[in-house]
Amino acid sequence: MFKLKILVCFIILILFGSCSKEVSKKDLIKEKSLELQVEEAYKEGIDALNDGDVLFAAKKFNEAEILFPQAVSAPQSALMAAYSYYTQDYYSDAIAELKRFLKVYPTHKDLGYVYYLLAICYYEQIVDEKKDLQSIINAKENFNIILKNYPSTEYAIDAEFKIDLIDDILAAKEMYLGRYYFDRKKWIPAINRFREIIDNYDTTIYAEEALHRLVEVHYTIGLIDEAEKYAQLLGYNYQSSKWYENSYSLFDKTYEKRKKERFKTYKKKGGGLIKKFKTLLE
């Protein structure tokens, strides 16, 4: 009887051992199968992206991420989904994916690229500075994040360049509104718009005109001292510009006439000099 009990115990141990090995083997097969599924989904995404089917590509990249969210490749799959949408101008979808990425992977090593692509998605939606103000603001905000947090990356150089272009766009909007108010004799709103350019966009191409417009507005409403102040500032910074000449002509009504007379005289002298120079070459 004792020997029978020992035999039964031995058989049970063998059965449990074989079962545990079988379970381990099944787990290993399952794990490998999962990794294979992720790899296949990612590859299908790449192929679809190369073929121009960006919606299917994004779907497969999302699938690769969802199948194995703990995998090292999961963040890359999420980024590729966003990039797929971006390549065919599905900006809203790309932005949604990138914002989700920032929440799910807040410490990822490629955050500089994420903010850059996010900024570009907003930037490329700018069509009209009078209508697309929110896209302009969002683009500038994300480009500034790159300059602040990732100044040594390759994206920082283009971010700085894009911000200069955005400032030109914002200054253009202020100039448009300033002229609009000026034409309708709404002096205070016009002054505020031109001052906005001087205060916040003084490095743009609209700074000279904004100073001249301030001279013009103040001169028109009889604030001569204020007009002279802005004229001096314009002359100090842009003495050779057409806007300085326009401002100067407000104070000197004979300026335009004398300017034309000087031009005629210069033209005559210049013509003789050119002829004389030509004879030296013959």
Side-chain angles (χ1 to χ4, degrees):
M1 187 69 178
F2 180 73
K3 290 182 179 180
L4 181 61
K5 287 182 178 180
I6 293 175
L7 181 61
V8 170
C9 290
F10 182 71
I11 293 171
I12 290 171
L13 288 172
I14 292 173
L15 288 173
F16 271 107
S18 62
C19 285
S20 62
K21 287 180 180 178
E22 188 175 346
V23 170
S24 299
K25 189 176 181 181
K26 285 182 179 179
D27 288 342
L28 184 60
I29 292 171
K30 185 178 179 182
E31 186 178 344
K32 287 183 178 178
S33 177
L34 183 60
E35 290 178 356
L36 185 60
Q37 289 179 55
V38 171
E39 186 179 330
E40 287 177 351
Y42 190 88
K43 185 179 183 303
E44 285 182 56
I46 292 293
D47 292 340
L49 181 60
N50 291 334
D51 291 339
D53 190 354
V54 298
L55 296 179
F56 184 74
K59 177 184 176 183
K60 298 309 291 186
F61 288 130
N62 285 143
E63 184 181 317
E65 180 190 11
I66 293 168
L67 278 169
F68 198 177
Q70 293 82 19
V72 177
S73 61
Q76 180 65 23
S77 299
L79 268 182
M80 289 302 294
Y83 178 75
S84 298
Y85 286 127
Y86 164 74
T87 58
Q88 291 294 324
D89 300 344
Y90 290 100
Y91 295 118
S92 297
D93 296 297
I95 289 168
E97 285 288 342
L98 291 166
K99 286 185 174 180
R100 184 180 68 83
F101 186 97
L102 291 172
K103 289 181 180 179
V104 178
Y105 309 105
T107 59
H108 194 265
K109 62 183 181 64
D110 292 326
L111 288 185
Y113 174 76
V114 175
Y115 280 110
Y116 178 75
L117 187 56
L118 190 56
I120 289 294
C121 285
Y122 287 119
Y123 181 82
E124 292 187 3
Q125 292 184 79
I126 301 170
V127 178
D128 186 339
E129 70 275 5
K130 297 184 285 293
K131 298 177 183 177
D132 302 322
L133 185 58
Q134 196 56 52
S135 292
I136 295 170
I137 292 171
N138 289 337
K140 186 174 182 179
E141 180 182 325
N142 283 284
F143 281 132
N144 276 323
I145 289 173
I146 294 169
L147 292 181
K148 181 181 178 181
N149 298 331
Y150 312 98
S152 59
T153 63
E154 58 188 303
Y155 315 114
I157 297 173
D158 192 53
E160 189 171 5
F161 174 72
K162 291 288 195 306
I163 286 175
D164 287 341
L165 294 178
I166 288 171
D167 283 345
D168 278 341
I169 293 170
L170 292 171
K173 181 183 76 71
E174 297 297 334
M175 182 58 69
Y176 169 83
L177 292 172
R179 291 172 187 154
Y180 174 86
Y181 289 130
F182 181 84
D183 291 341
R184 284 155 182 77
K185 296 181 172 54
K186 295 182 178 181
W187 311 122
I188 301 303
I191 289 171
N192 290 338
R193 295 298 179 176
F194 297 137
R195 276 301 306 265
E196 179 70 12
I197 296 173
I198 300 306
D199 293 340
N200 297 311
Y201 308 111
D202 60 325
T203 59
T204 68
I205 58 175
Y206 296 96
E208 297 175 44
E209 183 181 354
L211 282 171
H212 165 68
R213 297 296 179 185
L214 286 167
V215 174
E216 193 175 30
V217 173
H218 287 95
Y219 187 88
T220 301
I221 61 180
L223 298 176
I224 307 302
D225 289 342
E226 282 295 306
E228 287 180 347
K229 182 183 74 173
Y230 286 112
Q232 289 172 4
L233 186 59
L234 180 59
Y236 181 80
N237 290 284
Y238 311 102
Q239 191 167 3
S240 61
S241 75
K242 68 173 184 177
W243 298 113
Y244 174 71
E245 292 184 353
N246 291 345
S247 292
Y248 188 85
S249 66
L250 289 172
F251 298 97
D252 187 350
K253 300 302 181 183
T254 65
Y255 175 74
E256 284 297 325
K257 183 179 178 181
R258 289 187 286 107
K259 179 183 172 184
K260 289 178 181 178
E261 289 175 354
R262 285 201 308 270
F263 180 74
K264 289 179 181 178
T265 304
Y266 176 79
K267 191 173 181 182
K268 289 178 181 178
K269 290 181 180 179
L273 184 62
I274 290 173
K275 289 178 181 177
K276 186 180 292 184
F277 183 72
K278 281 184 178 179
T279 60
L280 297 175
L281 300 175
E282 292 174 353

